[in-house]
Amino acid sequence: MTTQNYSLQSLDESTSINLGTGDFPHDKAPFNEHFPDDTRTHHHTHGCLRCVRCFRSRRNVLHATLIVTLLILCCVSLVMFGFIVFEHFHPSQSLNLDVDANAIRAHMQFLSQPLLGGRAPGTDGELLAASYLAAQMQSLDLQPAGDSGSYIQEVQLVGSTVTVASNLIVRSPTGDVNIAWFDDFVATTGLPCTNDTCTRVIPAGTQFIFVGYGISAPEYSRNDWQGVSCAGRVALVLVGQPQDISDQQRPAGTLAYYARWTYKYEEARRQGCAGALVVHQSDAAAGYGWAVVQSSNTGEQIQAGDTASTTGALLLEGWLSATAANLLASFVGQTLTSWIASAETNSFKPSVLSPGCDISAPQSLTYATRRFVGHNVVGVLPASSSPTGDNDDDQPQESVVVMGHLDHLGTRNGQIYAGAVDNASGAGMAIELARSLIRVLSARSRSRALIVLNPTAEESGLLGSAYFTRHAPVRYPINSTLAAVCFDIGNMWGATRNMVVLGAQYSSLNSLFSTQAAALYDMSLANDPVPSQGMFFRSDHFSFARANVPAVWVSTGTDFIGQSADFYNTTVQGGYFANDYHRPSDVYHSSFSMDGAVQQIRVAGRVLVDIITNRDVVPRCTGGSGSSCF
């Protein structure tokens, strides 16, 4: 190698451009291609027009290269800046949560195994399930948010089990008729025993009063109780609602809360009735068959222990089969069909069945009663800053809640109701969502806390979640809870092109879920496929909606990838809900697909990241008059 010095003189020799020193072999020196070998030294020594032009050409290329490089760097910087800004205002749009399908399977398998005996509240199996879920929260480094620094929140409950039941003996124009316990009539009491055992009696001569759908709704100009007192009588009330109960957010056929059996009892209590029997006029009206009514209303019936009151409590709360209701109607010259038709109109008026039909012999139910505690499991990932921007540990924090209930129906008549899909799936999905969220949120600034809740006694009327709303952790009060997301009966049947998010229409969560489902899976939100079943009112998110918190149930879509168009109707509704729901056959199967559950978790997770990390995202209720959450 030789070292060569290069200097070019401009044409007027007023300037000199020094190319510096370069280590080039003679035949590889710059600009060699412009010079014949025999003239190279001459040109380099004395300069020439060709050299100057060559240099200027090379200089222009260098300048152009430099400009292009600077432009590329500028574009890259702008893209990076835009990404940072986008990530700040839309932190979840680039997020794909790492969800472990096998972890969901593992949670389901453990929670639904026979060892847990169906996880009825207050049993060893329920406590074992709660302990397992608490251990999962501890492994995720969630802070305990239960009682006394633990993950367990004790829920005060009262359980009543019918030990001796008499038939319902009814006087008719042709003589007494037996309405058989269990076959056509199941019931409990709204007035729990104060001792370990007691008997509640509906006396002979008690009259029945048919009150249609039993709705008192001024906003719909409806009062099914008008003009007749229910005091001392047993109300016969249709499950469901008339067709004219609808509005913009609740199209015709979509159930309002007025349709729920819980509302029927609540209203009968307000009306001063001695008892209420909900008529199961059809599977479609109730949303489930008579077998579900039997399994859900026999065995131990559980009530909240912290709000129990004897004032106005119903002595009898139960269900009557369509066959029995039609028989009672016939005693006064009616049919169940004519009763239903009369109840459809706003001009409906209640009617007392007597004379000709009343209780001819005392109806008695003897109960064994226990007062006990169920077990909610609560963990929290605190906000990294308070609403005012500081880190005061004593200051209340805004929060979001993700939940999936841990309980099921327990063991009845020697059969274990394992509740694998309902709801070992949802409990496990809530834990897996928490795990995947923590991996993302632990490295980000969090404006809100994440509360992970596995409530108990959902199957007994959402008691565990309702208890939580009344006894929320001091640092995370219910009036600072911005959203609640529930998993119940997770999608075990495969990936879908759409998703059902029950209750989304009642709050701004609708737009958040729509955006994230579309961004992640090009997925749309579908309407409730069975609006007549009132599913929105049947899981723990509803306890939060009643506490004025925007709340949704992330449910199964209807358009399954790779399946026939009727797969949802034949396999989900016609298969699981018709044959396994609330039955001993709801057990874990290795054939379950987790693809749909993973979709549900990822979409919900992106919504929660938006709310937790972006203080500008504040879900609002939009139902009813604009401020109701349902």
Side-chain angles (χ1 to χ4, degrees), residues 308-373:
S309 171
T310 59
T311 305
L314 300 178
L315 289 175
L316 187 70
E317 295 179 346
W319 287 73
L320 201 63
S321 72
T323 300
N326 192 60
L327 182 64
L328 293 181
S330 70
F331 295 159
V332 290
Q334 299 288 322
T335 65
L336 178 56
T337 300
S338 65
W339 268 1
I340 294 170
S342 68
E344 283 296 322
T345 67
N346 274 2
S347 59
F348 169 81
K349 288 183 171 53
S351 59
V352 178
L353 272 60
S354 294
C357 179
D358 59 22
I359 295 176
S360 65
Q363 196 288 319
S364 65
L365 297 175
T366 300
Y367 300 91
T369 301
R370 66 185 181 114
R371 295 182 180 272
F372 63 100
V373 295

Side-chain angles (χ1 to χ4, degrees), residues 474-486:
V474 173
R475 198 180 181 199
Y476 309 101
I478 193 64
N479 59 6
S480 294
T481 304
L482 299 183
V485 174
C486 178

Side-chain angles (χ1 to χ4, degrees), residues 220 241 245-260 482-484 500-514 525-528 530-538 541-553 618-630:
Y220 294 116
Q241 67 186 34
I245 300 290
S246 61
D247 54 41
Q248 287 183 336
Q249 291 177 308
R250 191 176 292 112
T254 300
L255 294 193
Y257 183 58
Y258 296 118
R260 291 289 290 149
L482 299 183
V500 174
V501 183
L502 296 169
Q505 71 270 33
Y506 303 129
S507 75
S508 56
L509 290 174
N510 188 47
S511 62
L512 294 176
F513 270 91
S514 296
L525 297 192
N527 292 329
D528 183 353
V530 283
S532 63
Q533 294 185 12
M535 298 298 286
F536 173 69
F537 309 106
R538 291 165 57 177
H541 64 288
F542 186 59
S543 294
F544 288 81
R546 296 192 81 172
N548 214 38
V549 175
V552 295
W553 172 359
V618 183
R620 304 290 187 190
C621 295
T622 58
S625 61
S627 60
S628 171
C629 290
F630 65 95

